[in-house]
C-alpha cells in the first residue's frame, strides 16, 4: 500500500486478528450447555432462519412450554452469533425487568448498551448497523 501509514495498517491487521479469535472462541466454547442433547440442531435451525447474509430485518420467536430450554437455546445462539454483528445484547427476564423498572428504563438501558459496544456508534449509525438483540421471557 503506497502512502498508507504503517500504524493504520498494523491497527487494521490487529483488529481483524482479534475479531477472528473472538469469533472462534465464541463458536467453540459458547457455554456450559454444549452437552445437552439436540441443542445444536435447534441452534442450526434458528441460525438458518436468521439468514445472516441478508440485510433485511428478522424477528424470530422461540415459543413453547415453560422449562423446555428456550433460554438455553437463546443463550447458545447469542454466544455463537454475537461476533457476526456490529453490536449485540442478550436481555434476560424481560417481563420481570419491565415490572421492576418500567419499559422506558429497559429501552434506554439496552439502547445505550448496544451503543457502548462500540464507542464510535451514534443513534444514526446504529440504524445502519447489523444488530443482534435477543429478548428472553417476553
Amino acid at each position: 500500500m503506497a502512502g498508507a501509514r504503517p500504524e493504520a495498517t498494523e491497527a487494521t491487521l490487529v483488529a481483524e486478528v482479534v475479531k477472528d479469535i473472538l469469533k472462534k472462541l465464541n463458536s467453540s466454547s459458547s457455554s456450559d450447555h454444549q452437552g445437552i442433547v439436540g441443542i445444536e440442531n435447534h441452534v442450526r435451525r434458528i441460525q438458518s432462519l436468521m439468514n445472516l447474509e441478508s440485510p433485511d430485518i428478522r424477528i424470530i420467536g422461540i415459543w413453547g412450554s415453560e422449562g423446555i430450554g428456550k433460554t438455553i437455546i437463546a443463550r447458545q445462539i447469542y454466544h455463537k452469533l454475537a461476533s457476526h454483528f456490529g453490536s449485540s445484547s442478550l436481555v434476560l427476564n424481560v417481563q420481570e425487568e419491565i415490572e421492576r423498572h418500567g419499559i422506558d428504563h429497559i429501552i434506554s438501558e439496552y439502547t445505550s448498551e448496544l451503543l457502548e459496544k462500540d464507542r464510535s456508534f451514534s443513534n444514526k449509525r446504529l440504524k445502519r448497523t447489523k444488530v443482534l438483540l435477543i429478548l428472553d421471557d417476553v
Side-chain angles (χ1 to χ4, degrees), residues 36-48:
I36 295 177
V37 176
I39 191 83
E40 282 305 313
N41 290 335
H42 293 299
V43 171
R44 272 194 299 277
R45 180 135 190 262
I46 292 170
Q47 186 175 350
S48 72

Side-chain angles (χ1 to χ4, degrees), residues 3 6 20-21 23 39 45-46 50 53 55-56 63 66 68-70 72 85 96 115 130-132 135 138:
D20 185 56
I21 289 170
K23 185 185 287 187
I39 191 83
R45 180 135 190 262
I46 292 170
M50 292 175 73
E53 296 77 33
D56 296 334
W63 179 83
E66 188 174 326
I68 63 168
K70 298 178 300 292
I72 293 170
F85 292 82
E96 183 180 315
L115 293 171
K130 203 170 188 178
V131 173
L132 174 64
L135 305 172
V138 177

